Each structure stands twice: as C-alpha cells, then as structure tokens.
C-alpha cells in the first residue's frame, strides 16, 4: 500500500565510499545505524558530562533518517558533493526533492511526524550533533580501513580528524579522547 517503508529497506543496497577502495563495503543502512549510535553517545555525553539538556531521542531519530534521501539519489562522494558551490547547491536540491518524494508516499498524518526527522531544522543543536556523529562515523571508517591494511584512507583520516578537532565541541573532543581509541584495538585487546 505505502511505498515509504519499502524504499527505506533499499538503504541496505546503497553503497558508501564509492570513490575509495574499501576492505569492507558499507551501505547506507549500516552507516545510518552507526551514526545513530554515535549521535546517541554525543547527546548523552553532552547531558551527563557537560550539563546539557539535549533531547536524546530526537538526536537518535535525526541520525537514523539523516541519509534517507540517498535511497533515491544514491550516495555522492564528499569530494564531488562539495567540489564547488553550484554542485553543492544542486545536490542539496536533489536531496530535498528525494525527501519530499519519500514523504509523499505516506498518509498526511504520518508524513507530518516523519518530516521533522527527514527534513529537520538544521539550526538546532540536535542536528549539529548528528552532523558531528556523521563525521565521526567517517573518521572511524578510516580507522577501520587503515587497521585492515588499506592505506588509501590515511589522508582522509587526517583531514577528518582535523575537522573534528576544529569543531571545538566538548562532547566531540571527549568522544575522540575516550571512545575513538578503542577502534584501533584488536578483539583480544578489547577483552
């Protein structure tokens, strides 16, 4: 009846990192789940360590749906997406149209509920945390690939690491200091 959820299921078929050879392929569904977990951690860190009042559930849902438009558009690699202002603007318009199309597949009473997560207010702190979680996910993908012997991700790891430090959010700094180093450990070292 409604195609929305069938389209969401396609997220597992949309590959990420298409310009770089990966030891392990990642799809949009896996990526969105990882971003949701990281965003949850960032919101919890903000609230528990730095006295924030972040709506953790909102952050997790924003993260879960942050790439949903790519079900229709596919993933465009970051270097292309942000190559120049015209491409960036055109891609943003394309993503917006894809999100509107997906929302149009739902009955009105449901689309209003999903719209706040699929087409969120980008000025909120919750949205900012999701963008940080997305960059952290990219950073951790680089760590994973380098650990597996793929040196193609070294430059990306360095530049994304610099971006994350430049954000200067205490919850991001805390995550990088306390949580990220564990991704360099082997399974035996995690025990």
């Amino acid at each position: 009846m409604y195609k929305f959820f069938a389209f969401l299921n396609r997220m597992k078929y949309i590959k990420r990192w298409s310009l770089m050879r990966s030891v392990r392929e990642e799809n949009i569904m896996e990526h969105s789940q990882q971003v949701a977990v990281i965003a949850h951690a960032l919101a919890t860190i903000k609230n528990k360590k730095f006295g924030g009042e972040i709506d953790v559930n909102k952050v997790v849902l924003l993260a879960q749906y942050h790439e949903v438009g790519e079900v229709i558009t596919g993933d465009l690699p970051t270097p292309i997406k942000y190559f120049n202002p015209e491409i960036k603007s055109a891609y943003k318009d394309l993503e917006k149209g894809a999100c509107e199309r997906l929302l149009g597949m739902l009955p009105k009473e449901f689309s209003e509920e999903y719209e706040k997560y699929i087409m969120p207010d980008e000025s909120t702190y919750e949205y900012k945390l999701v963008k940080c979680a997305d960059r952290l996910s990219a950073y951790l993908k680089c760590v994973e690939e380098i650990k597996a012997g793929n040196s193609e991700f070294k430059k990306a790891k360095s530049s994304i690491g610099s971006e994350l430090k430049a954000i200067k959010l205490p919850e991001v700094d805390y995550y990088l200091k306390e949580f990220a180093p564990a991704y360099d450990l082997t399974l035996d070292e995690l025990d």
Side-chain angles (χ1 to χ4, degrees), residues 23-191:
V23 171
R24 184 185 135 349
E25 286 187 2
E26 178 184 73
N27 63 50
I28 299 296
M29 189 176 279
E30 290 170 328
H31 168 70
S32 295
Q33 191 275 339
Q34 183 183 40
V35 171
V37 169
I38 295 168
H40 180 253
L42 291 177
T44 301
I45 293 165
K46 176 69 173 175
N47 290 346
K48 300 289 183 182
K49 296 292 283 177
F50 301 108
E53 294 182 12
I54 300 300
D55 182 344
V56 176
N57 292 327
K58 179 180 177 183
V59 169
V60 170
L61 286 168
L62 286 170
Q64 193 61 49
Y65 290 105
H66 84 283
E67 302 279 22
V68 75
E70 290 184 10
V71 170
I72 293 174
T73 66
D75 183 30
L76 189 61
T78 299
I80 296 170
K81 203 183 294 188
Y82 300 107
F83 182 72
N84 66 38
E86 292 83 21
I87 291 174
K88 181 180 176 183
S89 176
Y91 191 72
K92 286 273 184 208
D93 290 344
L94 186 63
E95 281 182 325
K96 182 180 179 199
C99 290
E100 288 170 347
R101 181 173 169 207
L102 284 168
L103 289 169
M105 295 176 185
L106 288 167
K108 184 84 169 139
E109 65 268 16
F110 294 140
S111 66
E112 290 172 356
E113 177 63 25
Y114 282 89
E115 183 175 8
K116 59 189 169 190
Y117 304 112
I118 293 174
M119 299 179 72
D121 177 354
E122 295 181 8
S123 68
T124 67
Y125 200 86
E126 288 85 357
Y127 181 81
K128 185 175 188 174
L129 286 181
V130 171
K131 295 302 282 180
C132 292
D134 195 28
R135 295 312 289 154
L136 278 164
S137 175
Y139 177 80
L140 296 173
K141 171 65 174 172
C142 294
V143 169
E144 178 183 280
E145 288 288 329
I146 293 166
K147 189 173 144 189
N150 186 356
S151 62
E152 193 166 334
F153 281 77
K154 282 182 181 176
K155 184 176 179 187
K157 180 187 177 204
S158 176
S159 66
I160 295 169
S162 295
E163 283 176 35
L164 288 167
K165 288 176 184 153
I167 292 170
K168 297 195 185 306
L169 285 182
E171 56 271 35
V172 172
D173 294 338
Y174 185 90
Y175 191 98
L176 284 168
K177 182 180 179 223
E178 300 295 331
F179 296 172
Y183 287 82
D184 275 316
L185 301 176
T186 65
L187 191 55
D188 290 334
E189 293 170 324
L190 286 171
D191 197 10

